[in-house]
Amino acid sequence: MKERFSGLDIPLITKELQNSITGYRLTNIYNIGDSTRQFLLKFNKPDSKFNVIVDCGFKIYVTQFTRPIPPQPSGFVVKLRKHLKSKRLTSVRQIGKDRIIVFTFSDGLYHLVFEFFSKGNVILLDSERKVLFTQRIVDDHECNVGDVYQLLSDIIIGKEETEDKKFTANVILSWIEDMELKLQKQQKASCDSKVKIPSIHKLLFLNAPYLSSELILKYLKLNHIEASDPCLKFKGDVEKLASVLNETEAEVKTLLTTNNDDFKGYIVCKKNPLFRQDVDSPELEYLYDRFEPFKPILRDEDTAENSIWKIEEVPGPYNMTVDKFFSTIESSRYELKIQQQEQHAAKVIENAKRANDTRIQKFVDNQKLSELKGSVIINNSDLVESCKGAVLSLVDQQMDWNAIEQLIKSEKAKKNPIAMLIKLPLDLKNNKINILLPNIDAESETELDSDTDDETLNKKDNASGSIEVNIDLELSAFANASRYFNIKKENRTKQSKIEKNQKMALKNIERKVTKDLHHKLKEQHDVLKRLRNPYFFEKYYWFISTEGYLVMMGKSDQETDQIYSKYITDEDIYITCNDVGSAKRAPQAFIINHTKDEAIPPNTLMQAGVLIISASDAWSKKVSGVASWWCKCKNISKFDPHDKNRVLESGSFSILNEGGKGYLAPVQMVMGLAFMWKVKTHESDGIYIKEEDGIQEADEEDKGTQDLHVAQEKEQINTNKHHAEELEEGKSFAGSDKPEIGEYKNNAYLPSPSKSDSTTLAATEVLELNKNVRGKRGKLKKIQKKYADQDEEEKMLRLDALGTLKGIAKEQEKMNDKLQREHKREMKKEVRSKKLQLQALRFTENEKVTVFYDKIFAELKPKLENPNDLENLESIIPVFAPWSALNKYKYKVKILPGTGKKLKSINEILSYFLKRKVDPNSTDKDVDWEKEHELIKQLKDTELLPLLCVDKIKINIPSANNGQKGNNGTGIGKNSKKNKKKK
């Protein structure tokens, strides 16, 4: 099975990664499972996510499936998080044609290098390409911490392969000659005349590894060249090899320039020899063997006529082929393990049944044989007595036992009929002998020959029609026959006991094997599940009312504004409640009136009121009787009623008509956690939201570009912000730290004066300063007359000596600071006005999106009604909603204000659902179905926790013992403390 990327896979995946995840931020890094060599990189943009799997030395790709994440990261991951978390990915490049991919973050601030040769490595570099740390230490090439990573340079990063490479006959001939010289050296060094010559396929791949071994093999086959032939054989036919490589190179360039939408990947599948038609799932019939970006040609052992192989085509980007290949293998790995364990268990049970049947058959054979021997003894009682008397007479004469055997042997040679019946050696130690008696009953003999086992047949004498019996010398012939009949009875009794206990024994064996099977399969295993594109409303608090209306509530003031700006129309309903003495703003929700022409039912308004009050501080304070009110969304506005151009702060709305409010009666705070099912319908084409720029998926709803004037406004604001920041840092003063050298006047920047003008400027400043001094006008005239003969240079020297210039500099510094502050205020006002303009644009009709609610509601079902829904069942969606809105749900639990912790309560709820009775046939819609439980098992408590918009809770679950409701806050089949004391 193919597990490592080829030289062709790396540039293809690199190109797709560059086009897909560049510009995204790295939100986090994780280990995968228990491995320290596999990593999960999560990239994120608003409403768009990518999960990248990295396996050191093997593969890298974007996955659409979840992966098990350990609770604690490794030390290497902790270091990566410290440097790369929240950094923006600016480029993804391959270094030349090497098996190295580089992720550049923050325009070169960090470089994350992935090496895919040997055992692989992950290296983090700083902006100067120095190694900060590595995933493992490699001895092959020096790459110590602090050293410059030599394989990476600015020239290599920016280099693109534009030249057309051609393979010539001379190049390939040089490869063959070099290999020939190498083989000659090996032959001399080893003194062996037989040195293995590499195949032509291996030679071409070693010299052009980026072309992929399978692709070279494909074109060798197409050109009718045997890939396993020795390379020296083609020394005189290099033109054909050059043609093969050029065709391969052309195929590679075609693949690298193919558009992702037109791309097709291929997966070669092999039939599973352990597949059971009626037992295993159809996905296990064929197992994935390898994947390629081109249509492969089956190898010699994989002939097309052989039905155990097939090729599966995967349209779309090549990354989809890679993800499907590895994710399917990981998903089926657990099922294959179960399959192997089950077949082993079935084999153990079958062996137990076979062993039991063998024991019963053995008892049956022993009964037949004992009955036959007893009958033969009775029929030949005179012969038995004669043999017994002959042996006893010799024993009575106190003859040596060996002498007795020698005497019988000699009598056998003389054809003594009695001696011929006695079988040697004798068992005189136990006072027994074996004799051969003729079997008169031919049918019994035939039956014996057909039914007895090999051990019994070996006991028969070679003489035809005779049977060996054991005779006790102390018993008569009839007593010996009775002994065999007693043996028959004992075997019959044992047989009846075994047959009686056979079913129970097999059940015990099956129970033991099943227990061992579950014990082996009890290992921790996270089943991979496809990452579902969430609906747009799942980022908020939401539920669907009993009448089919969507209710949404933002988790923050910003999300409330987002809901209002994008999804709310004039016919929708705005609902909120009164404050309960808290500094926090009261929750606000919206009811989507997708019918547009019908009034919202009172029951939906009441359920939305329950959500609003439960999300407020009334839940934690357990305050009852809190009132809520509602109005149509055309009666609210995000603009200040006194200034139509000013947008209110986040989460604030102005009421246009106080008379348009409607008040709701106080309700009880009773919520519930339930599960609904997403079922694929014939209308499920994945398009749920339509914007003005086109139709796009729900998870890409915010990716549309803004209008041109909006983009220009944002650019101007960013420019002004940057200019203001420069002012704050003092960077606008032409590289000098002295503020008097340049100044702002009337929002215009004045250049700094030259040195030649400094004297005139100083004198002018002195005059200006003296003019402003009261009572000095006459004195100033005298000074002008007194110093009229001084030139400007002499004036400056005298002013400097008197310290007047320092006062001038201080005054000029104060003036420049004042101008600078005024300019900052003007810039901030301008930025603020631009922000307000952009905020105002957010709440215009141009920002609204069209949502196809009918398609969404057709896919969501609170309860599966028939088994056909199981075929289209895609995923499970948890929902936290008012209890009255969950009447039609099969899986639901009541939640009340209490003191229990949410995470612990969620775990108890999941445990309760998984312990409920399951209908194995999936026919009774009121009883849990097996596939439903499989989806519930995939849920994690951390996924359900963000759904709850309340604080401390008390769950109310039916008791497992009597079906009553629990009242203790944790609630699963427990009695209260009072009841325990009474007992």
Side-chain angles (χ1 to χ4, degrees):
M1 183 180 67
K2 181 179 178 180
E3 294 184 354
R4 187 189 294 268
F5 271 7
S6 67
L8 178 58
D9 297 332
I10 291 178
L12 287 173
I13 293 296
T14 302
K15 182 190 73 171
E16 294 185 6
L17 291 176
Q18 171 70 18
N19 296 333
S20 60
I21 65 175
T22 301
Y24 282 65
R25 290 192 182 275
L26 180 64
T27 56
N28 217 335
I29 308 173
Y30 303 92
N31 291 109
I32 296 179
D34 298 330
S35 175
T36 58
R37 297 174 50 83
Q38 294 183 352
F39 307 97
L40 175 64
L41 282 67
K42 291 192 174 183
F43 292 91
N44 186 22
K45 265 186 179 181
D47 297 325
S48 181
K49 298 179 182 179
F50 283 103
N51 292 346
V52 178
I53 299 292
V54 179
D55 191 354
C56 291
F58 288 86
K59 50 188 175 288
I60 177 172
Y61 60 94
V62 178
T63 182
Q64 296 180 349
F65 295 84
T66 60
R67 289 298 189 281
I69 297 174
Q72 295 296 331
S74 63
F76 180 71
V77 169
V78 171
K79 294 178 182 178
L80 288 179
R81 288 179 179 179
K82 178 181 177 181
H83 292 82
L84 299 181
K85 193 172 182 180
S86 301
K87 296 293 188 297
R88 189 180 297 279
L89 181 67
T90 52
S91 73
V92 179
R93 292 291 180 92
Q94 180 184 6
I95 299 182
K97 291 183 178 180
D98 292 333
R99 298 174 63 88
I100 301 175
I101 298 178
V102 181
F103 282 13
T104 302
F105 293 88
S106 301
D107 295 320
L109 182 63
Y110 293 105
H111 302 282
L112 190 61
V113 181
F114 300 105
E115 296 180 347
F116 293 97
F117 48 81
S118 185
K119 293 183 180 180
N121 204 355
V122 180
I123 306 170
L124 182 65
L125 312 178
D126 61 8
S127 57
E128 298 179 354
R129 297 183 285 112
K130 290 183 178 179
V131 178
L132 296 178
F133 47 85
T134 64
Q135 192 268 334
R136 68 185 186 94
I137 299 175
V138 182
D139 297 330
D140 296 343
H141 59 90
E142 295 184 0
C143 188
N144 299 321
V145 175
D147 295 343
V148 177
Y149 190 74
Q150 299 296 335
L151 298 178
L152 178 64
S153 66
D154 297 335
I155 299 176
I156 293 177
I157 288 180
K159 185 178 179 181
E160 297 289 343
E161 292 289 339
T162 55
E163 66 276 5
D164 294 334
K165 185 173 182 179
K166 294 292 184 182
F167 293 94
T168 61
N170 294 331
V171 171
I172 298 176
L173 182 61
S174 66
W175 294 350
I176 297 176
E177 291 176 349
D178 292 343
M179 180 58 67
E180 187 177 11
L181 292 174
K182 185 178 179 182
L183 293 173
Q184 291 175 358
K185 291 180 180 179
Q186 290 180 359
Q187 186 174 359
K188 291 180 181 179
S190 61
C191 298
D192 187 5
S193 59
K194 293 182 179 180
V195 178
K196 186 177 181 180
I197 301 175
S199 65
I200 187 61
H201 175 225
K202 184 176 181 180
L203 177 69
L204 298 180
F205 175 66
L206 288 176
N207 289 277
Y210 67 94
L211 295 180
S212 172
S213 174
E214 291 292 335
L215 190 59
I216 295 175
L217 183 63
K218 173 183 176 179
Y219 279 95
L220 285 175
K221 276 196 167 189
L222 292 177
N223 286 271
H224 307 289
I225 298 176
E226 187 63 36
S228 59
D229 288 345
C231 60
L232 301 182
K233 177 182 176 181
F234 296 89
K235 193 172 181 180
D237 194 11
V238 292
E239 291 288 346
K240 197 171 184 180
L241 297 179
S243 175
V244 169
L245 288 185
N246 287 326
E247 291 177 5
T248 308
E249 177 74 20
E251 175 80 7
V252 170
K253 289 185 178 180
T254 302
L255 293 173
L256 291 174
T257 56
T258 302
N259 190 12
N260 289 342
D261 296 334
D262 301 330
F263 204 94
K264 290 181 181 179
Y266 300 89
I267 298 176
V268 180
C269 311
K270 184 178 181 181
K271 194 173 183 64
N272 183 8
L274 301 178
F275 178 73
R276 296 167 294 181
Q277 187 71 33
D278 300 330
V279 179
D280 298 327
S281 59
E283 292 79 8
L284 296 179
E285 184 176 2
Y286 283 89
L287 303 179
Y288 287 172
D289 183 70
R290 63 184 185 271
F291 60 93
E292 301 295 345
F294 53 87
K295 188 170 183 179
I297 294 180
L298 295 176
R299 303 170 185 171
D300 294 337
E301 64 271 16
D302 309 340
T303 56
E305 292 80 10
N306 197 340
S307 60
I308 66 172
W309 295 92
K310 75 172 184 177
I311 298 177
E312 183 176 332
E313 184 178 297
V314 183
Y318 187 49
N319 188 90
M320 294 182 62
T321 304
V322 178
D323 184 30
K324 183 176 182 180
F325 180 84
F326 288 110
S327 299
T328 304
I329 289 177
E330 292 184 28
S331 299
S332 60
R333 185 173 296 162
Y334 184 68
E335 296 182 5
L336 289 174
K337 186 177 180 181
I338 293 176
Q339 185 186 63
Q340 293 173 358
Q341 294 289 350
E342 287 179 347
Q343 290 198 355
H344 176 70
K347 187 176 180 180
V348 170
I349 294 173
E350 184 63 28
N351 290 338
K353 289 181 179 179
R354 190 179 296 111
N356 204 23
D357 294 339
T358 302
R359 289 178 62 193
I360 293 175
Q361 186 62 38
K362 187 175 181 180
F363 285 125
V364 172
D365 294 340
N366 288 337
Q367 291 176 51
K368 293 180 179 180
L369 184 59
S370 299
E371 183 180 4
L372 178 61
K373 288 184 177 181
S375 301
V376 169
I377 292 174
I378 293 174
N379 294 332
N380 299 278
S381 60
D382 52 344
L383 295 178
V384 173
E385 291 294 342
S386 299
C387 293
K388 189 177 80 166
V391 174
L392 286 176
S393 64
L394 296 175
V395 173
D396 291 342
Q397 296 175 15
Q398 298 184 352
M399 186 180 290
D400 185 66
W401 290 353
N402 293 329
I404 294 174
E405 291 184 359
Q406 289 296 330
L407 178 60
I408 295 174
K409 190 174 182 181
S410 63
E411 291 297 325
K412 278 180 177 287
K414 297 176 181 179
K415 303 297 183 179
N416 186 333
I418 299 300
M420 294 291 292
L421 297 177
I422 300 174
K423 190 169 184 181
L424 298 178
L426 302 175
D427 190 13
L428 296 178
K429 183 179 179 180
N430 296 319
N431 202 25
K432 292 181 180 179
I433 62 173
N434 295 325
I435 63 176
L436 294 174
L437 297 176
N439 184 10
I440 302 175
D441 192 355
E443 295 182 359
S444 298
E445 182 183 353
T446 306
E447 183 178 357
L448 179 64
D449 292 340
S450 61
D451 294 340
T452 53
D453 55 6
D454 295 337
E455 183 180 358
T456 306
L457 292 174
N458 291 333
K459 292 181 181 179
K460 296 166 100 179
D461 191 76
N462 294 331
S464 176
S466 61
I467 185 168
E468 179 182 343
V469 295
N470 186 263
I471 300 298
D472 192 341
L473 297 178
E474 293 182 354
L475 301 177
S476 64
F478 290 99
N480 279 287
S482 178
R483 184 165 60 90
Y484 275 106
F485 290 132
N486 290 335
I487 293 174
K488 175 187 175 183
K489 291 179 180 179
E490 291 176 1
N491 287 329
R492 185 189 301 167
T493 303
K494 291 180 180 179
Q495 177 187 350
S496 61
K497 287 182 178 180
I498 291 177
E499 291 176 346
K500 183 178 180 181
N501 298 327
Q502 181 180 11
K503 293 183 179 179
M504 184 63 67
L506 290 176
K507 283 185 179 180
N508 291 335
I509 293 173
E510 291 179 1
R511 189 181 299 109
K512 183 179 181 301
V513 170
T514 305
K515 185 178 180 180
D516 294 341
L517 175 63
H518 287 303
H519 179 71
K520 292 179 180 178
L521 297 178
K522 202 176 180 180
E523 303 171 357
Q524 182 180 0
H525 176 78
D526 291 306
V527 179
L528 299 186
K529 61 178 182 179
R530 182 178 291 275
L531 292 172
R532 178 178 59 86
N533 288 332
Y535 294 106
F536 71 95
F537 50 78
E538 290 187 70
K539 68 175 72 174
Y540 316 113
Y541 296 126
W542 66 278
F543 73 92
I544 298 176
S545 68
T546 52
E547 287 80 11
Y549 291 89
L550 177 63
V551 180
M552 291 190 294
M553 180 177 69
K555 297 180 179 180
S556 62
D557 292 339
Q558 290 75 17
E559 289 190 354
T560 302
D561 286 354
Q562 189 181 44
I563 294 173
Y564 178 77
S565 63
K566 299 187 71 173
Y567 308 109
I568 302 305
T569 60
D570 290 344
E571 298 300 321
D572 298 333
I573 299 297
Y574 167 81
I575 184 169
T576 185
C577 65
N578 299 329
D579 294 331
V580 291
S582 174
K584 186 175 67 174
R585 191 192 307 275
Q588 304 167 90
F590 299 92
I591 304 175
I592 306 298
N593 185 9
H594 60 281
T595 58
K596 303 301 180 185
D597 55 349
E598 297 180 4
I600 300 297
N603 197 24
T604 298
L605 292 172
M606 183 269 294
Q607 292 168 5
V610 173
L611 176 66
I612 285 295
I613 296 172
S614 299
S616 67
D617 288 342
W619 181 278
S620 57
K621 295 180 179 179
K622 298 181 177 61
V623 178
S624 59
V626 178
S628 57
W629 57 271
W630 63 275
C631 67
K632 286 194 173 183
C633 290
K634 64 182 179 182
N635 195 27
I636 62 174
S637 175
K638 276 295 297 182
F639 295 94
D640 192 338
H642 304 292
D643 185 3
K644 297 299 182 181
N645 295 323
R646 189 176 76 86
V647 179
L648 298 176
E649 62 180 3
S650 297
S652 298
F653 296 92
S654 62
I655 306 300
L656 303 180
N657 181 16
E658 291 290 338
K661 289 183 178 180
Y663 292 90
L664 301 175
V667 294
Q668 293 182 345
M669 295 179 292
V670 183
M671 301 293 289
L673 181 65
F675 299 144
M676 64 168 38
W677 313 98
K678 181 181 179 182
V679 179
K680 187 176 182 180
T681 62
H682 64 281
E683 297 180 354
S684 301
D685 52 2
I687 301 173
Y688 307 116
I689 294 181
K690 179 180 180 180
E691 296 193 9
E692 291 187 358
D693 293 337
I695 298 176
Q696 57 187 6
E697 298 288 342
D699 62 335
E700 299 178 355
E701 58 198 30
D702 290 333
K703 285 187 178 179
T705 56
Q706 299 287 348
D707 293 334
L708 181 60
H709 67 281
V710 176
Q712 292 175 349
E713 295 288 351
K714 287 184 178 181
E715 184 178 357
Q716 182 64 30
I717 288 177
N718 293 332
T719 303
N720 293 338
K721 281 184 179 179
H722 181 67
H723 199 63
E725 291 174 358
E726 286 185 348
L727 287 175
E728 292 176 0
E729 298 175 3
K731 295 180 181 178
S732 302
F733 293 100
S736 175
D737 294 334
K738 294 183 179 180
E740 67 269 19
I741 295 180
E743 66 179 29
Y744 283 91
K745 191 169 184 180
N746 296 329
N747 294 335
Y749 179 70
L750 302 179
S752 59
S754 61
K755 291 183 179 179
S756 61
D757 299 333
S758 60
T759 55
T760 306
L761 179 62
T764 305
E765 290 293 338
V766 172
L767 294 176
E768 292 294 330
L769 289 173
N770 290 330
K771 282 183 181 179
N772 296 330
V773 180
R774 185 178 178 183
K776 297 293 182 179
R777 185 174 297 177
K779 197 171 183 178
L780 182 61
K781 291 181 180 179
K782 294 179 182 181
I783 292 174
Q784 288 176 345
K785 291 180 180 180
K786 183 177 179 179
Y787 300 106
D789 297 334
Q790 290 182 347
D791 57 3
E792 292 296 329
E793 184 176 358
E794 186 179 358
K795 286 181 181 180
M796 291 302 300
L797 291 174
R798 289 182 177 273
L799 289 173
D800 188 21
L802 294 173
T804 307
L805 288 180
K806 293 182 179 179
I808 295 173
K810 289 182 180 179
E811 291 295 331
Q812 189 175 7
E813 183 178 354
K814 290 180 181 179
M815 185 182 301
N816 285 333
D817 288 343
K818 182 179 179 181
L819 290 174
Q820 183 177 344
R821 288 193 298 271
E822 290 180 356
H823 182 73
K824 283 184 179 181
R825 284 195 293 269
E826 292 296 329
M827 291 297 295
K828 288 181 179 179
K829 287 181 181 179
E830 185 177 358
V831 170
R832 194 180 299 113
S833 64
K834 295 295 183 182
K835 283 184 177 179
L836 292 176
Q837 291 178 14
L838 285 178
Q839 288 179 357
L841 289 175
R842 285 180 54 203
F843 300 101
T844 59
E845 291 297 327
N846 294 331
E847 293 294 316
K848 302 295 182 183
V849 297
T850 303
V851 182
F852 302 109
Y853 292 101
D854 293 335
K855 289 185 178 181
I856 296 176
F857 295 156
E859 293 179 355
L860 299 179
K861 291 190 176 184
K863 184 177 181 180
L864 299 179
E865 298 292 340
N866 54 72
N868 294 332
D869 292 337
L870 291 176
E871 300 177 0
N872 301 320
L873 182 59
E874 289 188 344
S875 60
I876 182 174
I877 301 178
V879 56
F880 183 68
W883 183 251
S884 57
L886 304 177
N887 293 333
K888 299 179 181 179
Y889 288 72
K890 180 193 293 188
Y891 295 87
K892 58 184 177 180
V893 168
K894 186 183 292 187
I895 296 179
L896 302 169
T899 58
K901 294 183 179 180
K902 294 190 287 186
L903 193 61
K904 180 180 178 182
S905 301
I906 288 173
N907 284 321
E908 292 179 354
I909 292 172
L910 292 175
S911 177
Y912 159 70
F913 285 142
L914 294 176
K915 289 180 180 178
R916 300 202 312 192
K917 182 181 178 182
V918 178
D919 178 14
N921 299 323
S922 301
T923 55
D924 190 352
K925 64 180 181 181
D926 295 325
V927 181
D928 296 1
W929 293 349
E930 187 174 354
K931 190 169 183 179
E932 294 175 343
H933 277 219
E934 291 178 0
L935 292 177
I936 295 176
K937 287 179 183 178
Q938 297 178 9
L939 290 176
K940 297 182 179 180
D941 50 7
T942 53
E943 297 177 10
L944 304 181
L945 190 61
L947 298 175
L948 274 61
C949 60
V950 297
D951 200 359
K952 301 290 185 178
I953 63 175
K954 178 177 73 173
I955 59 177
N956 209 336
I957 296 178
S959 172
N961 296 326
N962 51 18
Q964 296 178 355
K965 303 284 184 178
N967 296 316
N968 56 358
T970 56
I972 301 182
K974 297 179 181 178
N975 296 319
S976 63
K977 293 182 179 180
K978 293 182 180 180
N979 293 335
K980 288 183 178 180
K981 290 181 180 179
K982 289 181 181 179
K983 293 181 179 178

